[in-house]
Amino acid sequence: FSGSTPQVVQARHRSEPPRPLTYVRPNLPPELQVLLDATLAKLPADRPAAAATVVQQLDALLAGAPGLLSGALPAGRSFRPPYLIPVALGIAGLGVLLAIGAVTRARATGEPAPVIVAEFEGPAAEVELTRAFRELLIAGLGESARLALIPPHQIREAMRDAGMADSVTLTPDRAREIAFRLSVRAVVNGAVRQPAPGRYALMVSSVDAESGRMLTSETESASESTFVPAVQRITSRLRRSLGDRRADIEANKPLWQVATPSFEAFRKYVQAVDLGRAANLDGSNRLLREAIAIDTGFASAWGVMGMNFIAARNLDSARIAFAEALRRPGRLNDAQRYRMEAEAAYALHHDLTAAVHWYGLYLQEVPLSVGGRNNRGLYLSAMGRLEDALADFVRAVELERGGDGVAQPQLLNAAIMLWALGRSEEARRYRARLSGPFADYAALVDAAVEGSWTLAESLASRITADPAAPSWVRMQATGTLASALAMRGDIAAARRLIDTAAAAGGTEGRWYLRAARLMEDVSGKAGPLPGPLRADTSVPGTLLRAEWLAAGGDTAGALAALDAALDRREVEGGWFGFGVEAVRARILGARGDWGQAARLLSPLAVVGEPDNTAPDRIGTLHLRWLAADAWERAGRKDSADAYHARLGETTRLAANQLALRGLVLAYSSRRLARLH
C-alpha cells in the first residue's frame, strides 16, 4: 500500500484488500488467488482457521496442476480467463407508436467506449447465483459515464446475422466475434466458483475484441454476506482498467446503495425480473416482496413491482409501489430516478408534460440511450409536438448500433411522424427499411393515407387471416379492412367486422367500440348500448358509455356516467382527453342547442387528438365529424362544409385514426355533395 502519510498507509492496510496478484501474473490459477485473498482477509474469522488448512489447499492445487506455482503451465492445458458479459440496454417494444425502455447509462463528454459482456461461467447447481453475479456487475458497469454497454437485443440481432441461433450461449469466442461485427473494443468475461460451502471465488476479465489480448483480470473471494461489496470492488477495478477515471468512480453511489446490500435480495430481484418478462406478474411480485422483506429500502424492486402492477392495470397498487421507490431517492442513481418518474407520470396519470420533462433530465444523464430518445419522442407526439417527436425518433435510429434489424420500432415511429406531417415521400424511405410486422403496419398506413382502398383491403385481409400477426398490427389491419369494406359500399360487413373484434375487451376492445360509435354517428343510426360497456368502469369506458347514452337521447344516464368519470379526474385526469367535452356537446345536442354544441366541439376538432398511445379516447376523425354535424344541424352550412372538408385531410392524424378513415369518407363526401 502507498499513501501521502503513514496514517493513510495504515488506514489502507486496515480497510482495503490488497491488489490481486493477477495484476502482474494474469495466468495465475484463480483457485490460488482465492486462497491468497483468504489468508489476507481483514477479519480473522474470514481467514483459514489453521496453517494446516492452507497446506492442504496448496497440496490439492499442486496435485491438480503440477508446476503452476512455478509459473509454467502444464502441457496441453491453457488457462482461460473468466467470461465477460454483453452489458445491455434492456430494450422492449410496448406498442405503436412503439415505446422502448433503456437502462444503460452512458453520460460522457466524449464518445463512451462500447463494451460487450459475455455469459458468465459457474457451477451447474448455481445457475441463479451466476446470473445474479452477472446482473450485479452489469449494474455496477452501468454507473460508468465512459462505457456504453451493448444491449441484448443488438447482440441477438448480430448473432442471427452471424448464423447463430438465439438459444446458443454467448461464449467468450462468440462474444469476440459479435464485438468485431459491432465495432466494439472490449469484451468482458466472468466466472464464479465455489471452493468451499458458502465461499465463492469471483473472477472477471476483459480482453481486446480484435486481438484477444487480455486487458485486465480481477478476482475476489466472497461469502453470501460479503458478495455485494466484493462485486463493488471488482467492478471498480474493472472500470478503472477500461479507462474510467478514479474521481468518476468515487463520485458514483456504491453498488449496495443503487442496488441492495443483500445478495440474497438481489438474487430474488433478478428472478423476479425474469418472471415479469415471461408475463408471470404474480410470481414476479411474490419474489419482489420477498426481496423487499430482506431489504425494505430496495427502491429498484419497488419500481419493478410498480411496472408489474401497471401491466396488470392495477393502478392503485402501482401508485403505492412507485411512491415507495421514489421515497428512497438515495437508493437510486439520477438516471434511474428520472426514468422512473417519467414512466410513473405517463402510466399513472398520462401526464405527458411531466413525462417529457423527466425524460429530458434522463437524456442529460444518458444521451446515447436509444430507448430514452424513442420514448420521449412517443410522448412528444402524443402532445402534438410532431416535429420534436420526429427529431427524437430520427436520433434514436442513428444511435441504434445494431442496424435496421433492431431499429424497427424507431424507423416505424419516424415514418408515422412523417406521414402525420404530410411528408409521404420521406416516410416511404423509412418504410423501405422495415421488415416483418413493422413493414406490414407501415404498408397499411401508407395505403390509408393514399386512399388506395383496394390495396388496403388486400393487405388487411392477409394480415387478419394470419394468426401469428401481433395484436397491434392486427388492430390496424382490422380497422383498415373495415374502412375498405365501407368505401366499396359494404357497410354491413364493415360493422360486423368491428362488432366481432370488440369482444377483445380492454383498451383494444374499446377502440373497436369507438369505431362502432363512429359508424353509428356518421350513418345517423343509434343502436342500443353494447354489453361490454355496461360493466366497463375504466375512465375511457365510462366516458364512451356516457357518449352512447347521450347519442340515444338518455341525457340523465349520460350525466350519471359523466359524474362517475369526473369523480376520478383528480387522479386519472390525463386519461380523459376530450371525452368530457364530447359528452357535454352530445347532451347539448340532445337538448336542441346545436349551436352551443358546435362552438364547444370546433376548437377540439381543430386541435385534434394526436395521441396514438391512448386509442380508446375519442379521436380526431370523430371530433371533426361531430363538429361538422353540429354546425349543419345549427343551420351554419358554411361551417359544416369547412369541417367536412377537414375529414379528407390526413395530416396530424394518429395512425390508429388513419385506419378508420374509410368509415367516415364513405359518408362525408355524400354530406359534402348535399351541402354544396
Side-chain angles (χ1 to χ4, degrees):
F1 295 97
S2 60
S4 55
T5 66
Q7 290 79 12
V8 172
V9 175
Q10 188 178 36
R12 294 188 66 191
H13 266 291
R14 284 198 304 269
S15 61
E16 293 185 18
R19 191 179 191 185
L21 203 56
T22 48
Y23 268 87
V24 291
R25 291 284 299 279
N27 287 337
L28 200 70
E31 294 86 352
L32 180 58
Q33 181 65 64
V34 171
L35 178 59
L36 289 170
D37 289 344
T39 63
L40 295 171
K42 303 299 178 185
L43 297 176
D46 291 336
R47 295 195 288 265
T53 305
V54 179
V55 172
Q56 289 171 2
Q57 292 190 38
L58 286 170
D59 286 341
L61 272 171
L62 288 166
L68 279 183
L69 296 183
S70 67
L73 289 173
R77 177 181 172 183
S78 62
F79 171 67
R80 182 170 64 185
Y83 301 161
L84 307 177
I85 44 184
V87 181
L89 283 178
I91 288 184
L94 301 178
V96 174
L97 300 172
L98 294 167
I100 297 179
V103 297
T104 299
R105 180 180 172 86
R107 179 183 56 190
T109 52
E111 188 75 9
V115 177
I116 281 182
V117 186
E119 298 293 337
F120 278 14
E121 186 182 62
E126 292 282 8
V127 174
E128 291 177 356
L129 179 138
T130 305
R131 174 157 162 64
F133 172 33
R134 171 183 181 270
E135 294 300 323
L136 197 56
L137 184 85
I138 286 174
L141 291 178
E143 286 288 283
S144 173
R146 295 176 176 270
L147 303 176
L149 307 178
I150 304 301
H153 75 285
Q154 291 184 0
I155 292 171
R156 283 194 299 272
E157 187 67 22
M159 291 174 72
R160 293 186 193 110
D161 289 345
M164 303 178 195
D166 287 353
S167 57
V168 303
T169 302
L170 191 68
T171 62
D173 290 341
R174 289 183 183 131
R176 278 187 59 202
E177 180 180 348
I178 299 308
F180 185 78
R181 287 174 174 269
L182 296 178
S183 301
V184 171
R185 87 169 216 192
V187 174
V188 174
N189 302 312
V192 58
R193 297 197 171 87
Q194 192 171 16
R199 302 293 303 179
Y200 303 103
L202 312 180
M203 294 153 282
V204 173
S205 65
S206 61
V207 298
D208 181 271
E210 186 170 353
S211 67
R213 177 178 60 86
M214 183 181 290
L215 302 173
T216 186
S217 178
E218 310 291 347
T219 60
E220 283 283 343
S221 59
S223 62
E224 191 83 17
S225 62
T226 62
F227 208 102
V228 176
V231 177
Q232 172 77 66
R233 293 192 295 270
I234 214 169
T235 305
S236 296
R237 296 198 299 267
L238 179 63
R239 283 177 58 181
R240 191 86 176 90
S241 70
L242 291 173
D244 234 341
R245 293 182 301 196
R246 185 185 300 277
D248 291 337
I249 297 171
E250 292 173 350
N252 292 144
K253 290 177 181 176
L255 193 54
W256 70 264
Q257 196 170 345
V258 296
T260 173
S262 167
F263 185 62
E264 179 59 25
F266 192 79
R267 288 175 70 171
K268 291 180 181 293
Y269 169 81
V270 171
Q271 294 172 50
V273 170
D274 287 343
L275 287 177
R277 287 174 181 156
N280 184 353
L281 300 180
D282 290 340
S284 177
N285 282 341
R286 177 179 53 77
L287 284 170
L288 289 168
R289 289 189 187 94
E290 291 177 10
I292 290 167
I294 298 169
D295 174 14
T296 56
F298 197 169
S300 294
W302 283 112
V304 172
M305 187 181 292
M307 294 306 293
N308 284 348
F309 282 130
I310 285 173
R313 303 310 297 161
N314 188 345
L315 298 187
D316 290 337
S317 295
R319 287 187 191 94
I320 294 170
F322 275 124
E324 290 291 340
L326 295 171
R327 197 161 62 84
R328 298 166 170 83
R331 294 292 301 276
L332 299 165
N333 63 38
D334 288 342
Q336 288 173 320
R337 182 168 67 86
Y338 296 151
R339 183 159 179 256
M340 197 175 293
E341 292 273 18
E343 294 303 331
Y346 170 74
L348 296 180
H349 309 294
H350 206 66
D351 187 342
L352 297 168
T353 302
V356 167
H357 165 74
W358 288 114
Y359 259 120
L361 294 176
Y362 174 78
L363 287 168
Q364 290 179 20
E365 297 289 314
V366 197
L368 301 187
S369 169
V370 175
R373 190 72 58 178
N374 186 86
N375 285 11
R376 188 176 70 172
L378 186 72
Y379 303 147
L380 285 167
S381 74
M383 295 172 70
R385 294 170 56 183
L386 306 189
E387 292 283 3
D388 293 336
L390 175 63
D392 268 349
F393 293 141
V394 170
R395 181 60 178 148
V397 171
E398 294 169 350
L399 289 172
E400 185 57 83
R401 181 179 291 271
D404 287 357
V406 290
Q408 296 289 294
Q410 304 95 279
L411 287 165
L412 179 56
N413 289 346
I416 290 171
M417 284 302 97
L418 287 165
W419 271 308
L421 289 164
R423 293 153 62 179
S424 294
E425 287 305 313
E426 292 176 72
R428 290 187 190 106
R429 287 199 285 273
Y430 280 92
R431 177 190 164 186
R433 299 165 64 181
L434 295 168
S435 59
F438 301 93
D440 287 342
Y441 192 99
L444 290 167
V445 172
D446 199 4
V449 168
E450 292 301 307
S452 303
W453 297 111
T454 301
L455 173 61
E457 184 174 354
S458 174
L459 289 169
S461 297
R462 174 180 61 81
I463 294 166
T464 54
D466 180 5
S471 62
W472 53 273
V473 182
R474 185 181 293 277
M475 274 179 69
Q476 194 77 5
T478 303
T480 304
L481 180 55
S483 281
L485 291 170
M487 286 301 290
R488 67 175 170 87
D490 199 345
I491 302 295
R495 182 59 190 268
R496 284 196 301 273
L497 182 64
I498 293 294
D499 287 346
T500 301
T507 299
E508 183 177 335
R510 284 192 295 272
W511 183 73
Y512 290 117
L513 287 171
R514 278 224 158 267
R517 178 68 256 154
L518 178 61
M519 293 189 75
E520 292 202 359
D521 284 331
V522 298
S523 66
K525 298 175 182 176
L529 182 69
L533 283 181
R534 298 179 190 279
D536 191 338
T537 59
S538 69
V539 165
T542 304
L543 288 171
L544 181 54
R545 181 167 67 253
E547 283 189 64
W548 214 291
L549 292 170
D554 184 358
T555 56
L559 284 169
L562 181 59
D563 287 342
L566 289 173
D567 285 343
R568 297 160 65 181
R569 193 163 198 169
E570 186 175 344
V571 176
E572 298 184 56
W575 292 101
F576 279 60
F578 294 137
V580 173
E581 293 82 356
V583 174
R584 286 176 174 159
R586 287 183 185 274
I587 291 172
L588 286 168
R591 292 171 175 170
D593 194 351
W594 288 106
Q596 187 60 30
R599 283 186 285 275
L600 178 59
L601 288 164
S602 292
L604 311 183
V606 171
V607 173
E609 176 54 79
D611 191 350
N612 207 56
T613 70
D616 51 357
R617 299 203 311 206
I618 188 166
T620 302
L621 281 174
H622 214 151
L623 290 166
R624 289 176 181 173
W625 176 273
L626 291 175
D629 187 57
W631 281 122
E632 186 176 354
R633 290 172 184 268
R636 290 281 301 276
K637 294 181 181 174
D638 53 342
S639 297
D641 181 72
Y643 282 94
H644 274 297
R646 282 179 178 270
L647 285 164
E649 299 171 1
T650 60
T651 54
R652 302 192 70 80
L653 275 187
N656 62 59
Q657 291 287 289
L658 286 167
L660 304 178
R661 280 190 76 214
L663 302 181
V664 176
L665 293 179
Y667 289 90
S668 182
S669 30
R670 185 181 308 168
R671 282 284 189 98
L672 270 172
R674 193 175 70 193
L675 283 166
H676 288 172

